[in-house]
Amino acid sequence: MSIIDDLKAQYKVGGVAFRLLFWNIICFFISYVVFGLLQFVAIDIDFLQYVSLSSNPMDLLWKPWSLITYAFFHSDVFHIFFNMILLNFSSQLFLTFFNQKQLLGLYVLSAIFSGVVFVLSFYLMNIIAPIVGASAAIMAILVAVTTYQPLMNVRLLLIGNVKLWHITLFTIVVVDIMQIRDANSGGHIAHLAGAFFGFVYIKLLENGTDLSKIVSSVIDFFVNLFSKSQSKPFKKVHRNYKKPIEKPTSRIVTKDKTQQQIDEILDKISQSGYDCLTKEEKEFLFKAGK
């Protein structure tokens, strides 16, 4: 299999975490390719202004998509590099306890919420500035899993076992609160808003309210809207019907055995690469993605 085939296979079965990483990286390269082409033809246009979120509420009238797109674009290589490391780390921890749809829903909703908080905060302070980056959504994911399992042991390179809440607290204090007066204060406000949303999301989920279903419902609506419906002849079948007994379901959605096996194989890929998989494991991934 070629590298492209490997990427296609991993994208197909890699789940939401891999796809979020993929689209963040793709959007970053797209922005730099467009910027490079504009510079080559001597056109002085900042491509990021069309996808970044401006603190001027009036800008949302001509680019409402920026409430989401800002969370997929980054300003430079170091910005996306550290964000993708933290996104991969947080997503893998989150998927230990929750499912793929919840991860996507939390990412999107926290990005929107953090963007709204950023716009309102800067508007009240009479500051006009743009932001880009997935940091707010990543912070929401990290705080969400920390809220659910704060005492979880995480093994860090050169450090050893550390409690998850120590990592999260260090990230919030050092990266955000201590730097909130720096030039990137808008970004830090969005980070803290994302952290708050992640905390609220878990608390509501524990009480039976899953906010991620909002995103899932919207996605399902458009998928059903644009998918071609295949007409099938109606067949009337008479059968003895017994109403199934409803089993009580837990408020926290857990993963089935197939998904758990997929996650174990994906962990193996992230640690040793796709080539380390056995023939049976590769065949299982292809069958699971069908």
Side-chain angles (χ1 to χ4, degrees):
M1 296 178 69
S2 65
I3 297 178
I4 296 179
D5 291 333
D6 288 345
L7 288 175
K8 288 180 179 180
Q10 292 185 44
Y11 184 85
K12 188 175 182 180
V13 300
V16 172
F18 180 84
R19 292 171 188 176
L20 287 174
L21 290 169
F22 176 85
W23 283 110
N24 271 276
I25 295 173
I26 288 296
C27 288
F28 174 76
F29 278 111
I30 288 176
S31 64
Y32 261 70
V33 168
V34 173
F35 177 78
L37 290 175
L38 291 174
Q39 292 295 315
F40 180 77
V41 296
I43 299 177
D44 188 16
I45 297 179
D46 182 11
F47 171 76
L48 286 179
Q49 69 174 319
Y50 298 101
V51 294
S52 62
L53 179 62
S54 172
S55 60
N56 184 3
M58 298 303 295
D59 287 345
L60 288 174
L61 296 178
W62 68 273
K63 55 173 186 175
W65 57 83
S66 62
L67 264 177
I68 295 179
T69 56
Y70 87 93
F72 288 89
F73 287 84
H74 294 78
S75 58
D76 54 57
V77 175
F78 292 102
H79 189 198
I80 189 173
F81 177 76
F82 289 109
N83 269 357
M84 293 304 97
I85 291 178
L86 192 55
L87 175 59
N88 182 65
F89 171 78
S90 304
S91 298
Q92 296 305 323
L93 290 178
F94 186 87
L95 290 174
T96 304
F97 308 103
F98 308 104
N99 61 39
Q100 304 281 337
K101 290 185 177 180
Q102 289 172 321
L103 175 60
L104 178 60
L106 179 56
Y107 186 97
V108 173
L109 291 178
S110 60
I112 295 174
F113 176 80
S114 301
V116 171
V117 171
F118 160 74
V119 172
L120 292 177
S121 299
F122 266 37
Y123 178 75
L124 293 176
M125 291 186 291
N126 198 26
I127 301 175
I128 303 298
I131 60 168
V132 289
S135 305
I138 296 171
M139 192 65 69
I141 298 172
L142 180 61
V143 170
V145 69
T146 303
T147 302
Y148 186 67
Q149 285 290 338
L151 300 180
M152 179 182 182
N153 282 321
V154 179
R155 186 170 184 82
L156 298 179
L157 184 66
L158 303 178
I159 298 178
N161 290 333
V162 180
K163 298 296 182 184
L164 180 57
W165 74 269
H166 292 159
I167 299 174
T168 304
L169 182 63
F170 175 83
T171 304
I172 293 176
V173 171
V174 174
V175 176
D176 290 304
I177 295 179
M178 292 181 63
Q179 301 181 28
I180 199 167
R181 294 186 178 181
D182 291 353
N184 190 28
S185 59
H188 298 303
I189 290 175
H191 297 174
L192 295 177
F196 174 75
F197 188 89
F199 173 81
V200 172
Y201 173 81
I202 291 299
K203 290 304 178 182
L204 290 175
L205 186 61
E206 290 176 337
N207 290 325
T209 302
D210 188 355
L211 294 178
S212 67
K213 290 183 178 179
I214 299 174
V215 176
S216 300
S217 299
V218 172
I219 294 176
D220 292 341
F221 171 78
F222 283 104
V223 169
N224 295 331
L225 183 64
F226 292 103
S227 62
K228 295 181 179 179
S229 59
Q230 297 180 354
S231 60
K232 296 182 179 179
F234 176 78
K235 294 182 179 180
K236 188 174 182 180
V237 180
H238 297 277
R239 293 180 181 175
N240 294 328
Y241 175 76
K242 292 183 179 180
K243 186 177 181 179
I245 300 175
E246 294 184 358
K247 297 181 180 180
T249 56
S250 60
R251 290 173 177 174
I252 302 298
V253 180
T254 56
K255 300 179 290 186
D256 55 27
K257 293 183 179 180
T258 302
Q259 184 61 49
Q260 183 177 358
Q261 188 173 355
I262 291 176
D263 291 342
E264 291 175 356
I265 295 176
L266 294 178
D267 290 338
K268 186 175 180 181
I269 292 175
S270 63
Q271 294 175 3
S272 306
Y274 183 79
D275 293 334
C276 73
L277 298 183
T278 63
K279 181 179 179 181
E280 290 76 13
E281 289 173 331
K282 292 181 179 179
E283 291 178 352
F284 175 80
L285 286 179
F286 278 108
K287 291 179 180 179
K290 292 182 179 180

